[in-house]
Amino acid sequence: MEAIFHEKQEGSLCAQHCLNSLLQGPYFTAVDLSALAFQLDEAERQRMAEGGISTDEYCHFLQQPSGNMDDSGYFSVQVISRALEVWGLEMIPFNSREFQDSRNSIIQEKAFICNFKEHWLTVRKLGKQWFNLNSLLMGPELISDTYLSLFLTQLKQEGYSIFAVCGIFPDCEADQLLRLMPAMQVERPRLLGESSRTAALSGSPGMLDIQEESAEEREQVRHALELSEQQVRDEEEAADLRRAIQLSMQDRRKKTTVPETGNLDGDEMCTRSESKRPKDSEPETTVPCDGEVPMPSESQALEDEGEISQPPEPVCTQTTHENS
């Protein structure tokens, strides 16, 4: 939005602001438009003089003030049209048969100039978006394609004269940037001098009471932003979860790795060997550690003792009885 050229109202120079916002640059000053107005006045004087400089009509014409400009800074539609001709642009009335027959949709146009009494404003397409560049606003107002038709219709109902501007516009930075990165606007710009955006919008010429439409568009933008932020959070959480899983697997692999026994002394090796031996298995002969004398188990001691203390078996003798 910062790249859009938008002039705020100064005095009654709305025609100058309208043209510069349309062309997207400081192309005209009040002096330039005054010179064009003077040329138009001189052309009209010469046409009147063709009927005779002594006629009452000619004398009356000379006594009248200029119809193309005044001291406040107002300029007529003829001045605006002549200024656009300098850049090869043409104004076509919106309601004319020429415009209605040659155009299929207003969205295909590039710009509109609107006039109500002494106020001029521009509606310009930049990139693929429409903007209300009214100099009475604090900044450009984004207009959706669906709302553009309603906006122009409301202007007509309020008494505005609408002109489509046709031709090749000068290149501008805003048009190039907005083609690459469309603008987003959450809140409509306020009127100049207004402390609240809801104050007297419907009473100003050319400004619509579109609070419901704007609220819907703001809600859509807010919902889109929330979805974008939620997607970013989900991606960050997924990345954190993957990192946590990787660290957990690394710790688990470290715990299951067989420890090296090169730095263990004899007592520790014996202790680990006994702790790993199954309880239900038969006793195994242990290897003495560091010169220790192996101790026999209890069952072996009893067997050895039984072999030592067992008395010899009695010898049975056979007695032979002779018959007497």
Side-chain angles (χ1 to χ4, degrees), residues 1 17 44 46 48-49 52 54 68 115 127 142 154 181 184 195 215 231 235 256-257 259 263 276-277 283 308:
M1 298 288 283
H17 306 321
E44 292 177 4
Q46 292 178 0
M48 293 296 296
S54 60
N68 294 304
N115 171 249
L142 179 63
Q154 183 65 28
M181 184 180 300
M184 297 183 63
S195 58
Q231 183 178 2
E235 292 178 355
T256 56
T257 301
N263 297 329
K276 293 180 179 180
R277 185 176 60 189
I308 298 173

Side-chain angles (χ1 to χ4, degrees), residues 59-127:
C59 294
H60 179 74
F61 173 79
L62 293 179
Q63 295 175 358
Q64 297 298 319
S66 173
N68 294 304
M69 66 176 181
D70 59 23
D71 295 336
S72 66
Y74 164 77
F75 296 96
S76 66
V77 63
Q78 290 80 8
V79 176
I80 302 296
S81 178
R82 178 64 63 87
L84 293 178
E85 290 177 359
V86 175
W87 291 95
L89 300 175
E90 181 184 5
M91 294 174 58
I92 301 177
F94 184 74
N95 292 330
S96 65
R97 181 176 297 275
E98 177 185 0
F99 177 81
Q100 299 296 332
D101 293 343
S102 61
R103 267 69 181 179
N104 296 324
S105 174
I106 60 175
I107 300 177
Q108 299 177 356
E109 301 299 322
K110 295 182 179 179
F112 295 95
I113 286 181
C114 309
N115 171 249
F116 178 76
K117 295 183 178 179
E118 297 183 355
H119 184 64
W120 292 90
L121 64 90
T122 291
V123 180
R124 173 71 194 268
K125 186 177 186 179
L126 295 170

Side-chain angles (χ1 to χ4, degrees), residues 196-245:
S196 174
R197 60 178 296 275
T198 57
L201 284 181
S202 58
S204 302
M207 300 304 295
L208 304 178
D209 186 10
I210 56 169
Q211 297 179 4
E212 295 182 359
E213 180 74 15
S214 298
E216 181 180 355
E217 292 182 356
R218 290 197 302 272
E219 180 64 22
Q220 294 176 355
V221 172
R222 185 189 64 80
H223 183 63
L225 291 175
E226 289 181 353
L227 291 178
S228 178
E229 293 175 355
Q230 182 63 35
Q231 183 178 2
V232 172
R233 287 195 297 267
D234 293 342
E235 292 178 355
E236 291 178 351
E237 292 178 358
D240 293 339
L241 179 60
R242 288 194 297 268
R243 285 194 294 268
I245 293 175

